[in-house]
């Protein structure tokens, strides 16, 4: 909304209208040019960021592998005192952890360039989630993690590494954005041709005006920025992985989850058994 005024015009009734239209056209053209410039700058920044991320991850891989090998060799050396053995184990464990983070960076760089090509194999998602839930329960002892499952196993065609990465992102978020003593509920449900993983945590709520943006790359909500540092890539990556496997990841509403707090639901198709098709056609 705006106004344009002119002073001292001859034949104002004839000239004012065209001049106003011309001024409006100039303003609109300037706005379009500004938006296009910003979009181009943002695209260039994304390309540069992805290239730097990829390069750094590659540079880290070799020295980290050397550290892991050296630490493992030290740990196997006889004659180490208990405190020396403990230090060697810590070095090996933390270097391995950095190696996994580096692999994540490489995966993220490829995700940003939409080069994800999952190496599919039969994977029991229940086993994957159970294993990771146990890990996080031991790591986050001040959180009350619980796991429920209505099936003993559920096989999906998945890239196991990518699937674990997606589940870790959800568990990371649930732990990081909840307070000490908060409950974190993990549930696995079989739903006909799909299996659903729900990760819910108390103690944090995503504002309604931010719900549509949480899956955007590099986006972090107001509360998230205040609680803990982060890249804003976790949910973006997790959804990309789910979609690359023919599934999806959504933020559930309070009504859908029947709980107050924050709940994410990852859905993946269950691997079909060829014998099922044979039975149907028989």
């Amino acid at each position: 909304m705006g106004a344009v005024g002119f002073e001292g015009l001859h034949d104002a009734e004839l000239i004012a209208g065209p001049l106003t239209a011309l001024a409006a056209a100039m303003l609109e053209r300037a706005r379009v040019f500004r938006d296009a410039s910003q979009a181009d700058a943002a695209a260039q920044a994304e390309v540069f960021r992805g290239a730097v991320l990829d390069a750094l991850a590659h540079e880290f891989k070799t020295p980290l592998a050397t550290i892991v090998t050296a630490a493992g060799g030290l740990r196997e050396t006889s004659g180490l005192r208990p405190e020396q053995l403990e230090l060697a184990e810590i070095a090996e464990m933390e270097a391995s952890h950095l190696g996994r983070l580096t692999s994540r960076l490489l995966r993220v760089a490829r995700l940003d360039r939409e080069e994800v090509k999952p190496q599919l194999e039969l994977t029991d998602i229940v086993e994957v989630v159970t294993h990771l839930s146990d890990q996080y329960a031991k790591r986050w002892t001040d959180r009350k993690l619980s796991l429920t499952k209505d099936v003993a196993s559920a096989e999906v065609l998945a890239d196991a590494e990518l699937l674990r990465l997606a589940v870790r992102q959800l568990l990371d978020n649930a732990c990081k954005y909840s307070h000490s003593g908060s409950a974190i509920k993990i549930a696995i449900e079989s739903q006909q041709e799909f299996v659903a993983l729900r990760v819910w945590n108390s103690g944090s709520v995503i504002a309604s005006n931010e719900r549509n943006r949480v899956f955007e790359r590099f986006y972090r909500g107001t509360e998230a920025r205040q609680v803990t540092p982060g890249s804003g890539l976790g949910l973006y990556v997790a959804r990309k992985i789910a979609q690359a496997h023919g599934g999806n990841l959504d933020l559930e509403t309070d009504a859908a989850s029947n709980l107050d707090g924050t709940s994410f639901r990852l859905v993946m198709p269950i691997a079909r058994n060829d014998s099922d098709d044979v039975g149907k056609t028989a």
Side-chain angles (χ1 to χ4, degrees):
M1 299 293 291
V4 179
F6 301 98
E7 184 179 353
L9 287 180
H10 297 289
D11 297 326
E13 293 183 357
L14 295 176
I15 298 176
L19 284 177
T20 301
L22 181 61
M26 290 178 59
L27 290 171
E28 177 63 16
R29 184 174 182 180
R31 185 191 66 79
V32 171
F33 178 77
R34 182 197 63 209
D35 291 347
S37 299
Q38 291 176 345
D40 182 64
Q44 293 295 329
E46 292 300 327
V47 172
F48 179 70
R49 185 184 288 109
V52 171
L53 189 65
D54 204 353
L56 286 175
H58 276 293
E59 288 297 319
F60 285 145
K61 290 288 284 185
T62 300
L64 282 173
T66 303
I67 293 171
V68 170
T69 302
L74 283 174
R75 187 169 53 80
E76 297 297 328
T77 301
S78 60
L80 288 180
R81 297 193 301 273
E83 61 272 18
Q84 292 174 326
L85 181 61
E86 182 181 0
L87 289 174
E89 289 176 347
I90 291 173
E92 183 179 13
M93 181 177 63
E94 293 301 323
S96 297
H97 179 57
L98 284 174
R100 290 192 295 271
L101 290 177
T102 303
S103 296
R104 286 195 195 185
L105 288 177
L106 287 170
R107 288 288 190 179
V108 168
R110 295 181 185 124
L111 280 166
D112 286 343
R113 294 194 300 268
E114 297 185 352
E115 293 179 359
V116 178
K117 295 180 180 178
Q119 300 176 0
L120 301 180
E121 59 183 359
L122 283 175
T123 305
D124 186 353
I125 189 172
V126 176
E127 181 181 343
V128 169
V129 173
T130 301
H131 178 69
L132 291 176
S133 298
D134 290 340
Q135 284 187 351
Y136 277 78
K138 294 175 182 177
R139 186 184 308 170
W140 295 83
T141 55
D142 60 341
R143 305 293 194 271
K144 301 175 182 177
L145 273 77
S146 63
L147 171 63
T148 59
K149 43 195 176 184
D150 64 5
V151 287
S153 66
E155 287 192 328
V156 296
L157 278 175
D159 184 312
E161 181 184 344
L162 283 176
L163 178 59
R164 283 191 290 268
L165 174 56
V167 176
R168 282 196 190 100
Q169 299 290 6
L170 296 180
L171 296 178
D172 276 343
N173 277 13
C175 293
K176 288 194 303 182
Y177 298 116
S178 59
H179 306 296
S180 179
S182 297
I184 296 173
K185 299 182 184 295
I186 306 157
I188 304 174
E189 304 166 354
S190 179
Q191 301 174 343
Q192 295 180 348
E193 297 182 356
F194 292 87
V195 60
L197 166 65
R198 177 180 289 112
V199 178
W200 171 90
N201 69 276
S202 63
S204 68
V205 178
I206 298 174
S208 57
N209 61 328
E210 296 178 340
R211 287 176 171 262
N212 292 329
R213 301 196 61 192
V214 294
F215 294 103
E216 292 181 10
R217 183 171 43 186
F218 304 115
Y219 179 79
R220 302 194 72 221
T222 304
E223 182 178 348
R225 292 195 297 268
Q226 297 173 351
V227 172
T228 184
S231 64
L233 280 169
L235 292 175
Y236 167 80
V237 168
R239 175 177 268 188
K240 277 273 191 176
I241 291 172
Q243 292 174 340
H245 288 82
N248 205 0
L249 172 64
D250 293 301
L251 170 63
E252 291 192 303
T253 63
D254 295 340
S257 63
N258 295 319
L259 293 168
D260 294 329
T262 299
S263 177
F264 288 94
R265 183 170 176 266
L266 185 150
V267 178
M268 291 185 62
I270 295 176
R272 297 183 63 185
N273 191 331
D274 291 341
S275 61
D276 294 341
D277 293 335
V278 173
K280 290 178 182 178
T281 56

